[in-house]
Amino acid sequence: MTTTDHITEAVIEADPKLPIIRIRRDFAATPEQLIRAHVDPELFVKWVGPDGMETRVLEWDARDGGAWSYVAARDGEDYGFRGCFHQIADDRIVQTFTFMGMPDEVALETLRFEDLGNGMTRLHAQSLVDSFEGRDAWLASGMESGVNEGYAKLDAMLTDGALS
């Protein structure tokens, strides 16, 4: 695989038959570095979400069965998120995810980290939501810009050696 074959912007797809969102994105990192970026709250707050958001952790227990919650703020508006870590393994994370603006829509997320070799890892994320309407609302919420801007910040952290 050459550098031009790498996915440098998130590919976000809605499954036509199930209420699932799938995301793929490549990183110049090891699976271990990416898992750490997702489970270490001090690292997570530095990259998650769109530009201009300040994220603060309210609860963070990164273990199988542990809970998490955080608030992202911008321009005086707070956006809350919460969930539970169901599994943290060497190559994947399984968790629930709820945006408190839509508290009845709970997603089951699986993040799988595929080692591509040569210091590259492909993130495969899948979010199963309660309904097609809920899935479509998430897609229409600005999720794409938040995902891509967040991953760009994560790329910068990897380049700067913050996850060495």
Side-chain angles (χ1 to χ4, degrees):
M1 178 175 272
T2 66
T3 304
T4 57
D5 293 326
H6 292 297
I7 304 167
T8 56
E9 187 166 305
V11 175
I12 301 172
E13 300 171 326
D15 189 295
K17 296 180 181 176
L18 298 169
I20 292 176
I21 299 168
R22 291 191 177 90
I23 301 172
R24 289 186 319 280
R25 171 70 152 72
D26 294 348
F27 293 90
T30 64
E32 295 83 9
Q33 288 174 303
L34 291 179
I35 288 174
R36 194 168 135 231
H38 283 81
V39 300
D40 182 327
E42 292 179 15
L43 297 171
F44 182 79
V45 299
K46 293 178 182 177
W47 68 265
V48 71
D51 294 342
M53 299 292 279
E54 181 183 321
T55 301
R56 67 184 183 281
V57 168
L58 304 176
E59 176 182 8
W60 201 271
D61 185 9
R63 64 176 175 84
D64 292 3
W68 59 265
S69 66
Y70 66 88
V71 172
R74 177 172 49 198
D75 300 328
E77 296 284 330
D78 284 350
Y79 304 93
F81 303 87
R82 69 182 180 95
C84 295
F85 291 108
H86 289 262
Q87 180 188 42
I88 300 173
D90 291 341
D91 65 345
R92 73 185 207 151
I93 297 169
V94 179
Q95 64 185 8
T96 57
F97 180 94
T98 301
F99 166 51
M100 297 312 296
M102 298 181 341
D104 294 334
E105 299 293 330
V106 179
L108 177 61
E109 294 190 334
T110 301
L111 293 84
R112 190 171 53 84
F113 304 90
E114 177 187 5
D115 189 342
L116 300 175
N118 296 322
M120 297 297 296
T121 298
R122 179 164 295 155
L123 168 63
H124 299 268
Q126 174 177 289
S127 297
L128 172 64
V129 299
D130 294 338
S131 66
F132 287 99
E133 296 79 16
R135 180 202 65 193
D136 295 345
W138 283 32
L139 290 168
S141 71
M143 181 184 106
E144 183 176 348
S145 63
V147 166
N148 280 308
E149 290 173 13
Y151 287 163
K153 289 183 279 188
L154 181 51
D155 273 338
M157 290 173 61
L158 290 161
T159 300
D160 293 345
L163 289 159
S164 299

